[in-house]
């Protein structure tokens, strides 16, 4: 299978770092990360990813609405919405 380019959009930097490392370690795919939701549309336009993985709940931006905009610009792009929530446990 030909390596693909994946764009990950999530405001949780620890999650995107973990996902990028695991995808690149265990696959031949390249992974780009955007941690600021307002940069996702321009990143998708520039990078033309084969797949976009995006968080649903991000500050100042609804992931579902953003996904609809990313999906059709500049050409249809497969995407998946994810829901993440990290909570630090108190020692």
């Amino acid at each position: 299978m030909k390596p693909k380019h994946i764009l990950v959009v999530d405001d949780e930097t620890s999650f995107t770092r973990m996902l990028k490392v695991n995808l690149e370690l265990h696959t031949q795919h390249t992974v780009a990360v955007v941690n600021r939701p307002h940069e996702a549309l321009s990143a998708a336009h520039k990078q033309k990813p084969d797949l976009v993985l995006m968080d649903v709940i991000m500050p100042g931006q609804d992931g579902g609405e953003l996904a609809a905009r990313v999906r059709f610009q500049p050409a249809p792009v497969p995407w998946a919405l994810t829901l993440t929530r990290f909570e630090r446990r108190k020692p």
Side-chain angles (χ1 to χ4, degrees), residues 18-60:
M18 180 270 308
L19 187 58
K20 177 181 172 63
V21 166
N22 279 291
L23 284 171
E24 291 182 341
L25 182 64
H26 298 291
T27 71
Q28 297 296 314
H29 307 311
T30 60
V31 179
V33 169
V34 173
N35 293 116
R36 294 183 179 101
H38 63 276
E39 296 174 359
L41 198 57
S42 63
H45 183 72
K46 276 187 203 176
Q47 298 177 23
K48 298 175 180 45
D50 298 297
L51 174 67
V52 177
L53 300 175
M54 185 178 309
D55 190 7
V56 175
I57 302 169
M58 295 182 283

Side-chain angles (χ1 to χ4, degrees), residues 10-12 37 54-64 82-84:
D10 195 311
D11 61 308
E12 293 285 342
M54 185 178 309
D55 190 7
V56 175
I57 302 169
M58 295 182 283
Q61 185 73 55
D62 176 82
T82 61
L83 179 61
T84 58

Side-chain angles (χ1 to χ4, degrees), residues 44 48-52 67-79:
K48 298 175 180 45
D50 298 297
L51 174 67
V52 177
R69 293 174 56 201
V70 168
R71 186 174 178 202
F72 293 105
Q73 293 189 11
V77 175
W79 54 274

